[in-house]
Amino acid sequence: MKPAIVSLCLFLFLLHYSTAQSCVSETFSSNRVYSSCNSLPYLGASLHWNYHSSNGTVDVAYRAPQSSSGWVAWAVNPTGSGMIGANAFLAFPDSNGAVTVYTTKFSSYAVEASDVKDENLSFPVSSKQAEYANGYYTIFATLELPNNSTKLNTAWQASTQLQNGVPNGHPTGNNLLSKSNLDFLSGDAVSAGGNSRLRRKNIHGVLNAISWGILMPIGAIMARYVKVFKVADPAWFYLHVACQCSAYIIGISGWGLGLKLGSESVGITYHKHRDIAIALFCLATVQVFALLLRPNKEHKYRIYWNVYHHSVGYCIIILSIVNIFEGFDILDPAKKWKHAYIGVIATLGGVALVLEAVTWTIVLRRKSRSSEKSHHGVNGANGYGVRQHQVV
């Protein structure tokens, strides 16, 4: 349990540190520098700005990941929250593939392609520009804050849906939550649903990645390979049980938090992620309690129990990894987290391949030695190797 708890604390610390620091390390073309930034809680986006109190203007740089054929947008809403009333900056490729920027006002959810046009906003905009590089769109703009207020409702979007060459439509889920109230003076931001919700979603992801996605495979590696080494017997069994039970306890915590988050997200259901999670909970629960029914090694039904235990165990690991990547797609964190997990799984896979070769070599050598001893024993029992009984 101790290694699991230490790993959990480390991951939570790194997650918090990364969330706080990710936007600070970003750089921009033409040596643009911004004094403030905010890692936005959805869509992997970030906002950078310089506020000029002397004239009530702000220089902004909005950055979001997207394919080169998609679009991104950032908006200020002087009259409400969300899309209706939003004064938006949209970056997308024009008919020649060059990045262009529209300033557009939205007054309805029912937006037609003809409604998306380059027009004046309800506040002055002195400059606007956009670029695409390394999988990210960046919108640069200088605008006058409406009513000279530093606290404004903002919204942002990203999508691949275009109609008649202009942005039109976006997914649901996190795209509906991508809005916040931002104070350009202090840098404080309150997102839709609150920052606490995003924090809980991050904790949910970390708990499940550690338990189902890391500890479970490590426990399986111990059971399959470490037990081959005689010096590790019976320590491998207790390590295996400790690792899997720790994974189950942490995983159930993450699963329960996921149920809570789902109950709070009325109208938003990630069906595939949810269904796999329910299947994992059921299989893992049966697997844990099946330990109580484990027959002795000599029992005639032990082989059937082994087949069941191994099959369900490998099924849990496969479903766990699949569902973790489903979670990455939903949570949409910084790409380095997904890359880090891929690195962990690749490392565990590499270790398993090496141990597979090593343990097979050990097993084959033991079988060879056993057959040799058996052969010598047979020779010793025949008429050549045994002394004849002496008749007294």
Side-chain angles (χ1 to χ4, degrees):
M1 285 292 289
K2 287 184 178 180
I5 294 173
V6 171
S7 298
L8 176 60
C9 293
L10 179 60
F11 263 72
L12 290 174
F13 169 76
L14 290 175
L15 180 65
H16 172 77
Y17 182 80
S18 174
T19 303
Q21 298 294 322
S22 58
C23 69
V24 176
S25 61
E26 293 180 342
T27 58
F28 300 93
S29 60
S30 302
N31 295 319
R32 294 181 176 94
V33 178
Y34 297 90
S35 59
S36 303
C37 75
N38 200 327
S39 294
L40 302 176
Y42 302 103
L43 310 184
S46 62
L47 182 69
H48 301 248
W49 71 90
N50 291 322
Y51 171 63
H52 307 288
S53 58
S54 58
N55 57 9
T57 63
V58 62
D59 306 320
V60 299
Y62 167 74
R63 175 170 286 176
Q66 185 56 272
S67 65
S68 59
S69 59
W71 60 271
V72 303
W74 178 78
V76 170
N77 192 329
T79 59
S81 173
M83 181 175 177
I84 297 179
N87 287 239
F89 298 82
L90 299 95
F92 60 97
D94 62 16
S95 58
N96 298 318
V99 179
T100 188
V101 183
Y102 275 15
T103 48
T104 304
K105 291 180 290 187
F106 293 98
S107 58
S108 169
Y109 288 120
V111 178
E112 301 293 335
S114 57
D115 297 325
V116 181
K117 52 185 178 292
D118 196 14
E119 59 183 338
N120 292 329
L121 301 182
S122 61
F123 47 82
V125 176
S126 56
S127 69
K128 60 180 182 180
Q129 180 187 350
E131 62 185 24
Y132 184 84
N134 302 318
Y136 286 82
Y137 274 104
T138 305
I139 298 175
F140 302 101
T142 299
L143 56 129
E144 185 177 309
L145 295 179
N147 304 318
N148 200 28
S149 173
T150 61
K151 294 182 179 180
L152 292 170
N153 290 320
T154 65
W156 60 98
Q157 277 300 338
S159 176
T160 57
Q161 301 176 33
L162 289 92
Q163 184 178 2
N164 297 335
V166 297
N168 194 328
H170 58 74
T172 56
N174 286 342
N175 291 71
L176 298 180
L177 301 175
S178 54
K179 53 187 177 180
S180 70
N181 181 271
L182 176 62
D183 188 338
F184 285 94
L185 183 60
S186 67
D188 294 334
V190 178
S191 304
N195 288 330
S196 62
R197 176 175 172 79
L198 176 64
R199 189 176 297 109
R200 285 184 292 147
K201 291 177 72 173
N202 288 336
I203 292 174
H204 165 74
V206 170
L207 289 174
N208 289 313
I210 291 175
S211 56
W212 306 108
I214 297 178
L215 289 177
M216 280 284 183
I218 290 175
I221 288 173
M222 289 180 179
R224 178 168 176 81
Y225 302 115
V226 178
K227 70 178 181 180
V228 174
F229 302 94
K230 293 181 177 180
V231 70
D233 192 23
W236 70 266
F237 175 75
Y238 298 110
L239 289 172
H240 171 67
V241 171
C243 200
Q244 302 304 71
C245 288
S246 299
Y248 180 74
I249 293 170
I250 297 173
I252 292 303
S253 301
W255 184 75
L257 182 55
L259 291 179
K260 176 64 175 174
L261 289 168
S263 68
E264 296 174 352
S265 303
V266 180
I268 302 174
T269 304
Y270 302 103
H271 294 281
K272 186 176 180 181
H273 188 63
R274 181 197 62 184
D275 294 345
I276 294 177
I278 293 173
L280 276 172
F281 169 75
C282 295
L283 290 172
T285 300
V286 171
Q287 186 81 320
V288 169
F289 285 98
L291 288 173
L292 303 176
L293 304 175
R294 187 170 66 110
N296 294 326
K297 290 183 179 180
E298 296 79 15
H299 199 283
K300 63 179 180 179
Y301 292 127
R302 177 60 180 263
I303 185 172
Y304 302 110
W305 188 91
N306 286 342
V307 171
Y308 145 78
H309 186 65
H310 296 160
S311 300
V312 173
Y314 290 131
C315 182
I316 289 173
I317 291 173
I318 293 171
L319 287 177
S320 297
I321 295 173
V322 170
N323 215 28
I324 286 169
F325 281 105
E326 285 291 320
F328 276 123
D329 292 338
I330 294 169
L331 190 56
D332 194 24
K335 292 182 178 180
K336 61 183 177 183
W337 289 105
K338 187 174 184 178
H339 295 161
Y341 182 69
I342 291 173
V344 170
I345 290 300
T347 301
L348 291 176
V351 169
L353 287 175
V354 171
L355 289 175
E356 186 78 24
V358 171
T359 52
W360 265 110
T361 301
I362 293 173
V363 169
L364 292 176
R365 284 180 180 176
R366 285 178 184 168
K367 286 186 176 181
S368 177
R369 291 171 185 171
S370 177
S371 62
E372 288 178 4
K373 289 180 180 179
S374 176
H375 179 68
H376 289 320
V378 171
N379 286 342
N382 63 22
Y384 298 99
V386 177
R387 291 181 297 173
Q388 299 295 322
H389 290 287
Q390 295 180 357
V391 179
V392 180

